[in-house]
Amino acid sequence: MTKYTIATIPGDGIGKEVTAEAVKVLQAIEAASSLDFEFINIEGGGQYYQETGKEWEDGSYEICRDDADAILLGAVGWPGSRLPDGGLAGAGIVFGLRFGLDLYANVRPTKLYPGVLHTVHGERKQVWEPGKVDLVTVRENTEGLYAPIRGILDRGEVEEVGIDTRIITKKGSERVIKYAFELAMRRSGAPQDQTKRVTCVDKSNVLKGDQMYRRIYDRIAEGYPDIEKDYAYIDAYLQWLVRNPDFYDVIVTSNMFGDISSDLAAVLGGSLGMAASGNIGDNHGLFEPVHGSAPKHAGKNRTNPIATVISAGMMLDFLGVKHKDDEALRMNTIIDESVSALLKEGSTLTYDLGGNSSTSQVGDALSSLVTQTLE
Ligand code: IPM
Ligand code: MN
């Protein structure tokens, strides 16, 4: 038995519903594998802030830092719930953990599973063949435009200047680029030509930080002769991404560019409800769906839990790599195969994928598939 302590932070809105389903799937794994999980549930988010005046329970950060092997988060943010400085209440949890635990690689896979149709032009149809979209955006997660070097210049009670400073460092660039190359080594290449490829996405035709970042990319790439080097400016990349998604394997980019481009990439996977992510550092990992708390759907048991279930699978992969635990690695594969089987069969889908099943029906169906495979 290998035991892992998992901190769960369901957060706000649909975050609570989708986290419950991912935990259900993890419990199905626990029942039929040699993995054992201890869940520590942490309350927090914008709604919690409205009730208590705190973003999360006292001691939560320390639990995540000292006790948890990994963290699974639903979503934070609730309409009208703002901090005294106007900031989103609950964002302190996400940023507190990203920066505090130094989770420098924000890993966002986009994969089009067979059976999933897109809504790119309003109507649901097959725009790309399944298998043509299988890429990962690796977004730098601890600097760039998200560095907390910012402010407003108030003079005579007039807000005159707003400043956000973009910081690109050698250390921050080296480690995230290295992460991207290591990830590409574990993958089977781009769908188009099975070539392992890491695309460096930047704006180095203008920005100094990105010129340095590109030189660092070149230096790191020298250590990976089996991986094809590729460069794109962020603006051009976005249109190539939509036109030729099958060319891409791993994309490595700075914080804000990765924030924006990974939402666009998520469309290629059929739905934001399919978009999973991991915030990964050398010692800690936080896994969360890319979608937010979706207040208008909250409490209706209707949104897609698959992004959170895939995120939980990524969490097992992270634990597997970190602890050299083949069983944890295998359980990520089983989650992926179960998701694939569910989508292919097509009768238990939530509304975003054209079905009318509930969040919990999808969670139940995935748990049964996992159990069947492991029995
Ligand atoms: C994301 C989100 C967050 C970000 C927001 C909610 C602060 O958009 O994880 O992509 O900008 O990083
Ligand atoms: Mn985002």
Coordinates of all heavy atoms in Angstrom, one line a residue, residues 113-194:
Y113 N -10.8 14.0 -27.7 CA -11.1 12.5 -27.5 C -12.1 12.1 -28.6 O -13.0 12.9 -29.0 CB -11.7 12.2 -26.2 CG -10.8 12.3 -25.0 CD1 -10.5 13.5 -24.4 CD2 -10.2 11.1 -24.5 CE1 -9.6 13.5 -23.3 CE2 -9.3 11.2 -23.4 CZ -9.0 12.4 -22.8 OH -8.1 12.4 -21.8
P114 N -12.0 10.9 -29.1 CA -13.1 10.4 -30.1 C -14.5 10.5 -29.4 O -14.6 10.3 -28.3 CB -12.7 8.9 -30.3 CG -11.3 8.8 -29.9 CD -11.0 9.9 -28.8
G115 N -15.4 11.0 -30.2 CA -16.8 11.2 -29.7 C -17.1 12.6 -29.3 O -18.2 12.9 -29.1
V116 N -16.1 13.4 -29.2 CA -16.3 14.8 -28.7 C -16.4 15.7 -30.0 O -15.5 15.7 -30.8 CB -15.2 15.3 -27.8 CG1 -15.4 16.8 -27.5 CG2 -15.1 14.5 -26.6
L117 N -17.5 16.5 -30.0 CA -17.7 17.4 -31.1 C -17.4 18.8 -30.6 O -17.5 19.1 -29.4 CB -19.1 17.3 -31.7 CG -19.5 16.0 -32.1 CD1 -21.0 16.0 -32.6 CD2 -18.6 15.4 -33.2
H118 N -17.0 19.7 -31.5 CA -16.7 21.1 -31.2 C -17.9 22.0 -31.3 O -18.8 21.8 -32.1 CB -15.6 21.7 -32.1 CG -14.4 20.9 -32.1 ND1 -13.3 21.3 -31.5 CD2 -14.1 19.8 -32.7 CE1 -12.4 20.4 -31.7 NE2 -12.8 19.5 -32.5
T119 N -17.9 23.1 -30.6 CA -18.8 24.2 -31.0 C -17.9 25.4 -31.3 O -17.7 26.3 -30.4 CB -19.7 24.5 -29.8 OG1 -19.0 24.6 -28.6 CG2 -20.8 23.5 -29.7
V120 N -17.4 25.5 -32.5 CA -16.5 26.6 -32.8 C -17.3 27.7 -33.5 O -17.1 28.8 -33.3 CB -15.4 26.1 -33.8 CG1 -14.5 27.3 -34.2 CG2 -14.5 25.1 -33.0
H121 N -18.3 27.2 -34.3 CA -19.1 28.2 -35.1 C -20.5 28.2 -34.6 O -21.4 28.5 -35.3 CB -19.1 27.9 -36.6 CG -17.8 27.6 -37.1 ND1 -16.8 28.6 -37.3 CD2 -17.2 26.5 -37.5 CE1 -15.7 28.0 -37.7 NE2 -15.9 26.8 -37.9
G122 N -20.7 27.9 -33.3 CA -22.1 27.9 -32.8 C -22.7 26.5 -32.8 O -23.3 26.1 -31.8
E123 N -22.6 25.8 -33.9 CA -23.2 24.5 -34.0 C -22.2 23.4 -33.7 O -21.0 23.6 -34.0 CB -24.0 24.3 -35.3 CG -23.2 23.6 -36.3 CD -23.8 23.9 -37.7 OE1 -24.0 25.0 -38.1 OE2 -24.2 22.9 -38.4
R124 N -22.6 22.3 -33.1 CA -21.7 21.2 -32.7 C -21.4 20.4 -33.9 O -22.3 19.8 -34.6 CB -22.4 20.4 -31.7 CG -21.5 19.7 -30.8 CD -22.3 18.9 -29.7 NE -23.2 19.8 -29.0 CZ -22.8 20.6 -27.9 NH1 -21.5 20.5 -27.6 NH2 -23.6 21.4 -27.3
K125 N -20.1 20.3 -34.3 CA -19.8 19.4 -35.4 C -18.3 18.9 -35.3 O -17.6 19.4 -34.4 CB -20.0 20.1 -36.8 CG -19.3 21.4 -37.0 CD -19.8 22.0 -38.3 CE -19.3 23.4 -38.4 NZ -19.9 24.1 -39.5
Q126 N -18.0 18.1 -36.2 CA -16.6 17.5 -36.2 C -15.7 18.4 -37.0 O -15.8 18.4 -38.2 CB -16.7 16.1 -36.8 CG -15.4 15.4 -36.7 CD -15.3 14.7 -35.3 OE1 -16.1 13.8 -35.0 NE2 -14.3 15.1 -34.6
V127 N -15.0 19.3 -36.3 CA -14.1 20.2 -37.1 C -12.7 19.5 -37.3 O -12.2 19.6 -38.4 CB -13.9 21.5 -36.3 CG1 -13.1 22.5 -37.1 CG2 -15.3 22.1 -36.0
W128 N -12.2 18.9 -36.3 CA -11.0 18.1 -36.4 C -11.2 16.7 -36.1 O -12.0 16.4 -35.3 CB -9.9 18.7 -35.5 CG -9.4 20.0 -35.8 CD1 -8.5 20.4 -36.8 CD2 -9.9 21.2 -35.3 NE1 -8.4 21.7 -36.8 CE2 -9.2 22.3 -35.9 CE3 -10.8 21.6 -34.3 CZ2 -9.4 23.6 -35.6 CZ3 -11.0 22.9 -34.0 CH2 -10.3 23.9 -34.6
E129 N -10.5 15.8 -36.7 CA -10.6 14.4 -36.4 C -10.0 14.2 -35.0 O -8.9 14.8 -34.7 CB -9.7 13.6 -37.4 CG -10.4 13.3 -38.7 CD -9.3 12.8 -39.7 OE1 -8.6 11.9 -39.3 OE2 -9.3 13.4 -40.8
P130 N -10.6 13.3 -34.2 CA -9.9 13.0 -32.9 C -8.5 12.5 -33.2 O -8.3 11.9 -34.2 CB -10.8 11.9 -32.4 CG -12.0 11.9 -33.2 CD -11.7 12.5 -34.5
G131 N -7.6 12.8 -32.4 CA -6.2 12.3 -32.6 C -5.4 13.4 -33.2 O -4.2 13.4 -33.1
K132 N -6.1 14.4 -33.9 CA -5.4 15.5 -34.5 C -5.0 16.6 -33.5 O -4.2 17.5 -33.8 CB -6.2 16.1 -35.6 CG -6.4 15.2 -36.8 CD -5.6 15.7 -37.9 CE -5.6 14.7 -39.0 NZ -4.7 15.0 -40.1
V133 N -5.7 16.5 -32.3 CA -5.4 17.5 -31.3 C -4.9 16.8 -30.1 O -5.7 16.1 -29.4 CB -6.6 18.4 -30.9 CG1 -6.3 19.4 -29.9 CG2 -7.2 19.0 -32.2
D134 N -3.6 16.9 -29.8 CA -3.0 16.3 -28.6 C -1.8 17.1 -28.2 O -0.7 16.8 -28.7 CB -2.7 14.8 -28.8 CG -2.3 14.1 -27.6 OD1 -2.2 14.8 -26.5 OD2 -2.1 12.9 -27.6
L135 N -2.0 18.2 -27.6 CA -0.9 19.1 -27.3 C -0.9 19.5 -25.8 O -1.9 19.4 -25.1 CB -0.9 20.3 -28.2 CG -2.2 21.2 -28.2 CD1 -2.2 22.3 -27.2 CD2 -2.5 21.8 -29.6
V136 N 0.2 20.1 -25.3 CA 0.3 20.5 -24.0 C 0.9 21.9 -23.9 O 2.0 22.2 -24.5 CB 1.1 19.6 -23.1 CG1 1.1 20.1 -21.6 CG2 0.7 18.2 -23.1
T137 N 0.1 22.9 -23.3 CA 0.7 24.2 -23.1 C 1.4 24.2 -21.7 O 0.8 23.8 -20.7 CB -0.4 25.2 -23.1 OG1 -1.2 25.1 -24.3 CG2 0.1 26.7 -23.0
V138 N 2.7 24.6 -21.7 CA 3.4 24.7 -20.5 C 3.6 26.2 -20.2 O 4.3 26.9 -21.0 CB 4.7 24.0 -20.5 CG1 5.5 24.2 -19.2 CG2 4.5 22.5 -20.7
R139 N 2.8 26.7 -19.3 CA 2.8 28.2 -19.0 C 3.6 28.5 -17.8 O 3.5 27.8 -16.7 CB 1.3 28.5 -18.7 CG 1.1 29.8 -18.0 CD -0.4 30.0 -17.6 NE -0.6 31.2 -16.8 CZ -1.7 31.5 -16.2 NH1 -2.7 30.7 -16.2 NH2 -1.8 32.7 -15.5
E140 N 4.5 29.4 -17.9 CA 5.3 29.8 -16.7 C 4.3 30.4 -15.7 O 3.4 31.1 -16.1 CB 6.4 30.9 -17.2 CG 7.5 31.0 -16.2 CD 7.2 31.5 -14.8 OE1 6.3 32.4 -14.8 OE2 7.7 31.0 -13.8
N141 N 4.5 30.1 -14.4 CA 3.5 30.3 -13.5 C 3.9 31.2 -12.3 O 3.1 31.3 -11.3 CB 3.0 28.9 -12.9 CG 1.6 28.8 -12.6 OD1 0.8 29.6 -13.2 ND2 1.2 27.9 -11.7
T142 N 5.1 31.7 -12.3 CA 5.6 32.4 -11.0 C 6.2 33.8 -11.3 O 6.8 34.4 -10.5 CB 6.6 31.6 -10.3 OG1 7.7 31.3 -11.1 CG2 6.0 30.3 -9.7
E143 N 6.1 34.2 -12.6 CA 6.7 35.5 -12.9 C 5.9 36.2 -14.1 O 4.7 36.2 -14.1 CB 8.2 35.5 -13.1 CG 8.6 34.5 -14.1 CD 10.2 34.4 -14.3 OE1 10.9 34.2 -13.3 OE2 10.7 34.5 -15.4
G144 N 6.6 36.8 -15.0 CA 5.9 37.4 -16.1 C 5.1 38.6 -15.7 O 5.4 39.3 -14.7
L145 N 3.9 38.7 -16.3 CA 3.0 39.8 -15.9 C 2.3 39.6 -14.6 O 1.6 40.5 -14.1 CB 2.0 40.1 -17.0 CG 2.3 41.2 -18.0 CD1 1.2 41.2 -19.1 CD2 2.4 42.6 -17.3
Y146 N 2.4 38.4 -14.1 CA 1.8 38.0 -12.8 C 2.7 38.3 -11.6 O 2.3 38.1 -10.5 CB 1.4 36.6 -12.8 CG 0.1 36.3 -13.6 CD1 0.1 36.5 -15.0 CD2 -1.1 35.9 -13.0 CE1 -1.1 36.3 -15.7 CE2 -2.3 35.7 -13.7 CZ -2.3 35.9 -15.0 OH -3.4 35.7 -15.7
A147 N 3.9 38.8 -11.9 CA 4.8 39.1 -10.8 C 4.1 40.3 -10.0 O 3.6 41.2 -10.6 CB 6.2 39.6 -11.3
P148 N 4.1 40.2 -8.7 CA 3.3 41.2 -7.9 C 4.0 42.6 -7.8 O 4.1 43.1 -6.8 CB 3.1 40.5 -6.6 CG 4.3 39.6 -6.4 CD 4.7 39.2 -7.8
I149 N 4.5 43.0 -9.0 CA 5.2 44.3 -9.0 C 4.3 45.2 -9.8 O 4.4 45.3 -11.0 CB 6.6 44.2 -9.6 CG1 7.4 43.2 -8.8 CG2 7.3 45.6 -9.7 CD1 8.8 42.9 -9.4
R150 N 3.4 45.8 -9.1 CA 2.3 46.6 -9.8 C 1.7 47.6 -8.9 O 2.0 47.6 -7.7 CB 1.2 45.6 -10.3 CG 0.6 44.8 -9.2 CD -0.6 44.0 -9.7 NE -0.3 42.9 -10.6 CZ -0.3 41.6 -10.2 NH1 -0.7 41.3 -9.0 NH2 0.0 40.6 -11.0
G151 N 1.0 48.5 -9.4 CA 0.3 49.5 -8.6 C -0.4 50.6 -9.3 O -0.3 50.6 -10.6
I152 N -1.1 51.4 -8.6 CA -1.8 52.5 -9.2 C -1.2 53.8 -8.6 O -1.0 53.8 -7.4 CB -3.3 52.5 -8.8 CG1 -3.9 51.1 -9.3 CG2 -4.1 53.7 -9.4 CD1 -4.7 51.1 -10.5
L153 N -0.9 54.8 -9.4 CA -0.5 56.1 -8.9 C -1.7 57.0 -8.7 O -2.4 57.3 -9.7 CB 0.5 56.7 -9.9 CG 1.0 58.1 -9.5 CD1 1.7 58.1 -8.2 CD2 1.9 58.6 -10.6
D154 N -2.0 57.3 -7.4 CA -3.1 58.2 -7.1 C -2.5 59.5 -6.8 O -1.6 59.7 -6.0 CB -3.8 57.7 -5.8 CG -4.8 56.6 -6.0 OD1 -4.4 55.5 -6.1 OD2 -6.0 57.0 -6.1
R155 N -3.0 60.6 -7.5 CA -2.6 61.9 -7.1 C -3.8 62.8 -7.0 O -4.6 62.8 -8.0 CB -1.6 62.5 -8.1 CG -0.2 61.9 -8.0 CD 0.8 62.6 -8.9 NE 0.4 62.3 -10.3 CZ 1.4 62.2 -11.3 NH1 2.6 62.4 -11.0 NH2 1.0 62.0 -12.5
G156 N -4.0 63.5 -5.9 CA -5.2 64.3 -5.7 C -6.5 63.5 -5.9 O -7.4 64.0 -6.5
E157 N -6.4 62.3 -5.3 CA -7.6 61.4 -5.4 C -8.0 61.0 -6.8 O -9.1 60.6 -7.1 CB -8.8 61.9 -4.6 CG -8.4 62.0 -3.1 CD -9.6 62.5 -2.2 OE1 -10.8 62.5 -2.7 OE2 -9.3 62.9 -1.1
V158 N -7.1 61.2 -7.7 CA -7.3 60.8 -9.1 C -6.4 59.6 -9.4 O -5.2 59.7 -9.2 CB -7.1 61.9 -10.1 CG1 -7.3 61.5 -11.5 CG2 -8.0 63.1 -9.8
E159 N -7.0 58.5 -10.0 CA -6.1 57.4 -10.4 C -5.5 57.8 -11.7 O -6.2 57.9 -12.7 CB -6.9 56.1 -10.6 CG -7.5 55.6 -9.3 CD -8.0 54.1 -9.5 OE1 -8.7 53.9 -10.6 OE2 -7.9 53.3 -8.7
E160 N -4.2 58.0 -11.7 CA -3.5 58.6 -12.9 C -2.8 57.5 -13.7 O -2.8 57.6 -15.0 CB -2.6 59.7 -12.5 CG -3.3 61.0 -12.2 CD -2.3 62.1 -12.3 OE1 -1.2 62.0 -12.6 OE2 -2.8 63.2 -11.9
V161 N -2.1 56.6 -13.1 CA -1.3 55.6 -13.8 C -1.5 54.2 -13.2 O -1.4 54.1 -12.0 CB 0.2 56.0 -13.7 CG1 1.0 55.1 -14.6 CG2 0.4 57.5 -14.1
G162 N -1.7 53.2 -14.1 CA -1.7 51.8 -13.6 C -0.5 51.1 -14.2 O -0.2 51.3 -15.4
I163 N 0.2 50.4 -13.3 CA 1.5 49.8 -13.8 C 1.5 48.3 -13.4 O 1.2 47.9 -12.3 CB 2.7 50.5 -13.1 CG1 2.8 52.0 -13.5 CG2 4.0 49.8 -13.5 CD1 3.8 52.7 -12.7
D164 N 1.8 47.5 -14.4 CA 2.0 46.1 -14.2 C 3.4 45.8 -14.8 O 3.5 46.0 -16.0 CB 0.9 45.2 -14.8 CG -0.4 45.5 -14.2 OD1 -0.7 44.9 -13.1 OD2 -1.2 46.3 -14.7
T165 N 4.3 45.3 -14.0 CA 5.7 45.1 -14.6 C 5.9 43.6 -15.0 O 5.6 42.7 -14.2 CB 6.7 45.4 -13.5 OG1 6.3 46.7 -13.0 CG2 8.1 45.5 -14.1
R166 N 6.4 43.4 -16.1 CA 6.6 42.0 -16.6 C 8.0 41.6 -16.3 O 9.0 42.3 -16.8 CB 6.3 42.0 -18.1 CG 6.4 40.6 -18.7 CD 5.8 40.6 -20.1 NE 6.0 39.4 -20.9 CZ 7.0 39.1 -21.6 NH1 8.1 39.9 -21.7 NH2 7.1 38.0 -22.3
I167 N 8.2 40.6 -15.5 CA 9.5 40.1 -15.1 C 9.8 38.8 -15.7 O 9.0 37.8 -15.6 CB 9.5 39.9 -13.5 CG1 9.2 41.2 -12.8 CG2 10.9 39.4 -13.1 CD1 10.2 42.3 -12.8
I168 N 10.9 38.7 -16.5 CA 11.4 37.4 -17.0 C 12.7 37.2 -16.4 O 13.6 38.0 -16.6 CB 11.4 37.4 -18.5 CG1 10.1 37.9 -19.2 CG2 11.9 36.1 -19.1 CD1 9.0 36.9 -19.1
T169 N 12.9 36.1 -15.7 CA 14.2 35.8 -15.1 C 14.9 34.6 -15.8 O 14.2 33.7 -16.4 CB 14.2 35.5 -13.6 OG1 13.5 34.3 -13.4 CG2 13.4 36.6 -12.9
K170 N 16.2 34.5 -15.6 CA 17.0 33.4 -16.1 C 16.5 32.1 -15.4 O 16.2 31.1 -16.0 CB 18.5 33.6 -15.8 CG 19.4 32.5 -16.2 CD 20.9 33.0 -16.0 CE 21.9 32.0 -16.4 NZ 22.1 31.0 -15.3
K171 N 16.4 32.1 -14.1 CA 16.0 31.0 -13.3 C 14.6 30.5 -13.7 O 14.3 29.3 -14.0 CB 16.0 31.3 -11.8 CG 15.4 30.2 -10.9 CD 15.5 30.6 -9.4 CE 14.6 29.7 -8.6 NZ 14.7 30.1 -7.1
G172 N 13.6 31.5 -13.8 CA 12.2 31.1 -14.1 C 12.1 30.6 -15.5 O 11.3 29.6 -15.7
S173 N 12.9 31.1 -16.4 CA 12.8 30.6 -17.8 C 13.5 29.2 -17.9 O 12.9 28.3 -18.5 CB 13.5 31.6 -18.8 OG 13.0 32.9 -18.6
E174 N 14.7 29.1 -17.3 CA 15.4 27.8 -17.4 C 14.5 26.7 -16.9 O 14.4 25.6 -17.6 CB 16.7 27.9 -16.6 CG 17.8 28.5 -17.4 CD 19.1 28.7 -16.5 OE1 19.0 28.5 -15.3 OE2 20.1 29.2 -17.1
R175 N 13.9 26.8 -15.8 CA 13.3 25.7 -15.2 C 12.0 25.3 -15.9 O 11.7 24.1 -16.1 CB 13.0 25.9 -13.7 CG 12.1 27.0 -13.3 CD 12.2 27.3 -11.8 NE 11.2 28.3 -11.4 CZ 10.9 28.6 -10.2 NH1 11.6 28.0 -9.2 NH2 10.0 29.5 -9.9
V176 N 11.3 26.3 -16.4 CA 10.0 25.9 -17.1 C 10.3 25.4 -18.5 O 9.6 24.5 -19.0 CB 9.0 27.1 -17.2 CG1 9.4 28.2 -18.2 CG2 7.6 26.6 -17.4
I177 N 11.4 25.9 -19.1 CA 11.7 25.3 -20.5 C 12.2 23.9 -20.3 O 11.9 23.0 -21.1 CB 12.8 26.3 -21.2 CG1 12.1 27.6 -21.5 CG2 13.3 25.6 -22.4 CD1 13.1 28.7 -21.9
K178 N 13.0 23.7 -19.3 CA 13.5 22.3 -19.0 C 12.3 21.4 -18.8 O 12.3 20.3 -19.3 CB 14.5 22.4 -17.8 CG 15.2 21.2 -17.6 CD 16.6 21.5 -17.0 CE 17.6 20.3 -17.1 NZ 17.1 19.1 -16.6
Y179 N 11.4 21.9 -18.0 CA 10.2 21.1 -17.7 C 9.5 20.7 -19.0 O 9.1 19.5 -19.2 CB 9.2 21.8 -16.8 CG 8.1 21.0 -16.4 CD1 8.1 20.2 -15.2 CD2 7.0 20.8 -17.3 CE1 7.0 19.4 -14.9 CE2 5.9 19.9 -16.9 CZ 6.0 19.2 -15.7 OH 5.0 18.3 -15.4
A180 N 9.4 21.6 -19.9 CA 8.7 21.4 -21.2 C 9.5 20.3 -22.0 O 8.9 19.4 -22.6 CB 8.6 22.7 -22.0
F181 N 10.8 20.4 -22.1 CA 11.6 19.4 -22.8 C 11.5 18.0 -22.2 O 11.3 17.0 -22.9 CB 13.0 19.8 -22.9 CG 13.3 20.8 -24.1 CD1 13.2 22.1 -23.9 CD2 13.5 20.3 -25.4 CE1 13.4 23.0 -25.0 CE2 13.7 21.1 -26.5 CZ 13.6 22.5 -26.3
E182 N 11.5 18.0 -20.8 CA 11.4 16.7 -20.2 C 10.0 16.1 -20.4 O 9.9 14.9 -20.6 CB 11.6 16.9 -18.6 CG 13.0 17.1 -18.2 CD 13.9 15.9 -18.5 OE1 13.5 14.8 -18.4 OE2 15.1 16.2 -18.9
L183 N 9.0 16.9 -20.5 CA 7.6 16.4 -20.8 C 7.6 15.9 -22.2 O 7.0 14.8 -22.4 CB 6.6 17.6 -20.6 CG 5.2 17.3 -20.9 CD1 4.6 16.2 -19.9 CD2 4.3 18.6 -20.7
A184 N 8.2 16.6 -23.1 CA 8.2 16.1 -24.5 C 8.9 14.8 -24.6 O 8.4 13.9 -25.4 CB 8.8 17.2 -25.4
M185 N 9.9 14.5 -23.8 CA 10.6 13.3 -23.9 C 9.7 12.1 -23.5 O 9.8 11.0 -24.0 CB 11.8 13.3 -22.9 CG 12.9 14.1 -23.3 SD 13.7 13.6 -24.9 CE 14.6 12.2 -24.4
R186 N 8.7 12.4 -22.6 CA 7.8 11.3 -22.2 C 6.6 11.1 -23.1 O 5.8 10.2 -23.0 CB 7.2 11.7 -20.8 CG 8.2 11.7 -19.7 CD 7.5 12.0 -18.4 NE 6.5 11.0 -18.0 CZ 5.5 11.3 -17.2 NH1 5.2 12.5 -16.7 NH2 4.7 10.3 -16.9
R187 N 6.4 12.0 -24.1 CA 5.3 12.0 -25.0 C 5.7 11.3 -26.3 O 6.8 11.1 -26.6 CB 4.7 13.4 -25.2 CG 4.0 13.9 -24.0 CD 3.7 15.4 -24.1 NE 3.0 15.7 -25.3 CZ 1.7 15.6 -25.5 NH1 0.9 15.2 -24.6 NH2 1.1 15.9 -26.7
S188 N 4.6 11.1 -27.2 CA 5.0 10.4 -28.4 C 5.0 11.3 -29.6 O 4.9 10.9 -30.8 CB 4.0 9.2 -28.6 OG 2.7 9.6 -28.3
G189 N 5.1 12.6 -29.4 CA 5.3 13.6 -30.5 C 4.0 14.2 -31.0 O 2.9 13.9 -30.5
A190 N 4.1 15.1 -32.0 CA 2.9 15.8 -32.5 C 2.1 14.8 -33.3 O 2.6 13.9 -34.0 CB 3.4 16.9 -33.4
P191 N 0.8 15.0 -33.3 CA -0.1 14.0 -34.1 C 0.2 14.0 -35.6 O 0.2 13.0 -36.2 CB -1.5 14.6 -33.9 CG -1.4 15.4 -32.6 CD 0.0 15.9 -32.5
Q192 N 0.7 15.1 -36.2 CA 0.9 15.2 -37.6 C 2.0 14.3 -38.1 O 1.9 13.7 -39.1 CB 1.3 16.7 -37.9 CG 1.3 17.0 -39.4 CD 1.8 18.4 -39.7 OE1 3.0 18.7 -39.6 NE2 0.8 19.3 -39.9
D193 N 3.1 14.3 -37.3 CA 4.3 13.5 -37.8 C 5.0 12.7 -36.7 O 6.2 12.3 -37.0 CB 5.3 14.5 -38.5 CG 5.6 15.7 -37.6 OD1 5.2 15.6 -36.4 OD2 6.2 16.7 -38.0
Q194 N 4.4 12.6 -35.6 CA 5.0 11.9 -34.5 C 6.4 12.4 -34.1 O 7.2 11.7 -33.5 CB 5.1 10.3 -34.8 CG 3.8 9.6 -34.6 CD 2.9 9.9 -35.8 OE1 3.2 9.8 -36.9 NE2 1.6 10.4 -35.4

